[in-house]
Amino acid sequence: MGRGSARARPGGTLSRDHREQRIDWVVPPFAGHAYPALMVAGRLKGMGFSGLRILSTPSLQGAAEGLGLPFVPMLASHETEVLSIANSKARGPRAMLRQFRATLGVLEALGEELGRTWSPAPPDLVIADSVLPSAGFAARRLGCLLYTSPSPRD
């Protein structure tokens, strides 16, 4: 699905009041991606939405909980790697290839972790940052509605 797309759950529409729907926001721990999502989720919480959760690396937990949003830590054992990929000063084709491979490894680990987290009880809606395609793949596998939020550069 492309940016701003959603996919309906097999079998029809959601039956619960929209404020009770379980909505998981999957965001990277980078300010330009995380804080816009946190602000929107915080605003929805203030409007009475009760099923919101933020899923990201542990470094974002304080910000999410500071807004009263439930937090689910992801990739705890990969957080240093995530930050080093984001802050890489890679120069040259070999260094960029190493960075790309590291990114693919982290994305694979995220997809697996999300699958384990969601398998027992998938959320009604997943809002996934566009830089985290594995979140969208995991949501699709479980039949969740999916919205891919645009990144700051889109």
Side-chain angles (χ1 to χ4, degrees), residues 3 5 68 144 154:
R3 176 176 21 155
S5 60
C144 300
D154 283 350

Side-chain angles (χ1 to χ4, degrees), residues 77-94:
S77 63
H78 294 276
E79 183 149 35
T80 301
E81 187 176 6
V82 168
L83 297 175
S84 76
I85 291 168
N87 297 317
S88 174
K89 305 269 191 260
R91 298 270 190 248
R94 285 194 173 94

Side-chain angles (χ1 to χ4, degrees), residues 21-99:
Q21 290 177 355
R22 294 181 47 239
I23 303 171
D24 279 358
W25 299 65
V26 186
V27 296
F30 317 127
H33 294 262
Y35 291 109
L38 288 173
M39 294 298 105
V40 173
R43 177 82 178 186
L44 289 174
K45 181 177 180 2
M47 295 169 61
F49 283 76
S50 60
L52 305 171
R53 297 190 312 176
I54 303 296
L55 291 81
S56 189
T57 61
S59 62
L60 200 59
Q61 185 167 357
E65 291 177 347
L67 293 170
L69 297 165
F71 183 81
V72 179
M74 294 275 123
L75 298 174
S77 63
H78 294 276
E79 183 149 35
T80 301
E81 187 176 6
V82 168
L83 297 175
S84 76
I85 291 168
N87 297 317
S88 174
K89 305 269 191 260
R91 298 270 190 248
R94 285 194 173 94
M96 293 175 82
L97 180 59
R98 279 192 302 275
Q99 180 183 11

